[in-house]
Amino acid sequence: MAKKQKTQVEPTPPVVEQPKVETPVMEKPLPKNKKNTWEIKDRQYYLRGNLSPLSYSVKSSDIYWFDEEKGYEREIKCTSNQRTPFVDEMVGDQRLEHVIFRNGTLFVPKNKVVLQKILSLYHPDKGRKFHEKDYQQEAASEIDLLETEIEALNAAQSIDIDMAEAVMRVELGSKVSDMSSKELKRDLLLYAKKNPELFLDLINDENVILRNFGIKATEMGILKLSQDQRTFTWGTNNRKLMNVPFDEHPYSALAAWFKTDEGMEIYSNIEKRLN
């Protein structure tokens, strides 16, 4: 009898679990809290219009501010015992605090953050009856003014005597003709320091030079201006050169006329005589 052969069963290979790779979830950044941008510092407030009464009160209650995030108006109240300006967030009794300006100013120390926020952010009279003193903005404005003054003084120092005379004639009129060069230079520098923006505008205005040119020509008798200040003529033969338009300054009209074809010829003729 033949022996049965045993069937060999191959062992099942062990199952190797593949590690799960999770896709990282990017968290959305939290919205920036507006409260965190508030700078803790002492603040000074001033009444507008340079007003300085002994005392002046602004509203400390019945103030409403529209909250765009919540979509409705919220009541605001100045209190001495709450940590929020919003009535709907207050807890317990509310001790009303009066807001009083003394001699036109109100100093609020840095520990009174709630009152500062009411005055700087929420109060309806901010910008109308009072404003917060901004030292950085004032410093920037002063820098701009000083830089303009320096620019004007440098320009006054470098311009020639004809331009100096033209500019100062706007300020002093015919008195300029009797001034020495030193007096003219001194007054020019003082004028540039006192009115730097106007001075810079004048030296860049070509009509200023042309007006001065016409005035000098008239003072020297090269041109004549009629008594009614309506007509310019040659000084030698009284030949009419131009009529001054109604309601115009005669020398402003003459300066504009010098830019025309006919006026340019007369200008060249006068320039030869002045030199």
Side-chain angles (χ1 to χ4, degrees):
M1 186 174 175
K3 293 182 179 180
K4 293 182 179 181
Q5 293 182 350
K6 294 181 179 180
T7 304
Q8 294 182 351
V9 180
E10 296 182 358
T12 304
V15 178
V16 180
E17 294 185 1
Q18 296 293 328
K20 294 180 179 181
V21 180
E22 296 183 357
T23 304
V25 178
M26 300 297 292
E27 295 184 0
K28 294 182 179 180
L30 295 174
K32 189 175 182 180
N33 192 345
K34 293 182 179 179
K35 295 181 181 179
N36 294 335
T37 63
W38 182 261
E39 183 181 356
I40 304 298
K41 65 178 183 179
D42 296 335
R43 296 175 188 267
Q44 193 93 9
Y45 300 88
Y46 289 85
L47 294 178
R48 292 180 61 85
N50 294 322
L51 298 177
S52 57
L54 292 177
S55 64
Y56 184 89
S57 300
V58 297
K59 291 178 66 173
S60 56
S61 61
D62 293 327
I63 301 170
Y64 292 89
W65 176 76
F66 182 74
D67 191 328
E68 294 184 357
E69 293 183 358
K70 295 184 180 295
Y72 58 83
E73 278 190 329
R74 304 178 69 184
E75 184 179 0
I76 291 171
K77 186 182 291 185
C78 300
T79 62
S80 59
N81 66 325
Q82 296 288 337
R83 297 183 179 181
T84 176
F86 299 107
V87 174
D88 56 15
E89 295 178 353
M90 294 181 179
V91 178
D93 64 320
Q94 303 164 8
R95 299 174 196 164
L96 187 64
E97 182 176 16
H98 297 288
V99 182
I100 303 175
F101 285 74
R102 305 287 184 185
N103 296 317
T105 65
L106 173 62
F107 174 77
V108 183
K110 62 184 178 182
N111 60 307
K112 289 201 169 188
V113 176
V114 175
L115 178 56
Q116 286 187 356
K117 286 187 176 182
I118 291 174
L119 294 173
S120 295
L121 302 177
Y122 308 123
H123 204 287
D125 290 334
K126 174 183 175 287
R128 293 174 57 247
K129 295 182 178 180
F130 66 87
H131 65 94
E132 180 183 350
K133 187 177 182 67
D134 190 334
Y135 292 95
Q136 291 184 356
Q137 184 177 359
E138 286 190 5
S141 298
E142 289 178 2
I143 289 173
D144 289 341
L145 181 60
L146 289 171
E147 288 178 344
T148 303
E149 185 177 313
I150 292 170
E151 182 182 355
L153 288 171
N154 286 337
Q157 189 69 30
S158 61
I159 63 176
D160 59 36
I161 194 66
D162 290 333
M163 173 62 83
E165 183 181 311
V167 171
M168 292 312 300
R169 194 178 291 278
V170 174
E171 177 72 8
L172 302 176
S174 59
K175 181 182 175 182
V176 171
S177 302
D178 300 326
M179 296 175 67
S180 66
S181 59
K182 292 293 184 182
E183 290 173 325
L184 187 61
K185 194 72 173 180
R186 176 202 61 199
D187 286 5
L188 184 72
L189 289 168
L190 291 173
Y191 184 70
K193 181 178 176 62
K194 184 179 179 181
N195 303 288
E197 291 186 0
L198 178 58
F199 175 83
L200 291 172
D201 287 341
L202 288 174
I203 64 174
N204 291 314
D205 183 0
E206 62 178 3
N207 285 339
V208 170
I209 298 178
L210 292 175
R211 280 198 297 269
N212 185 61
F213 182 85
I215 292 171
K216 287 175 66 176
T218 304
E219 289 177 347
M220 296 180 66
I222 300 174
L223 297 180
K224 283 184 181 179
L225 177 61
S226 61
Q227 290 185 351
D228 62 0
Q229 297 195 337
R230 302 265 55 91
T231 307
F232 280 99
T233 59
W234 275 118
T236 53
N237 56 18
N238 291 324
R239 181 169 68 87
K240 187 174 73 171
L241 296 176
M242 67 161 291
N243 290 323
V244 178
F246 184 70
D247 280 346
E248 276 196 38
H249 189 281
Y251 290 104
S252 296
L254 181 62
W257 183 73
F258 279 143
K259 297 178 183 179
T260 65
D261 292 339
E262 182 183 2
M264 290 176 66
E265 293 181 6
I266 301 299
Y267 179 90
S268 299
N269 191 320
I270 296 173
E271 189 175 30
K272 293 175 183 177
R273 300 188 187 192
L274 289 176
N275 296 331

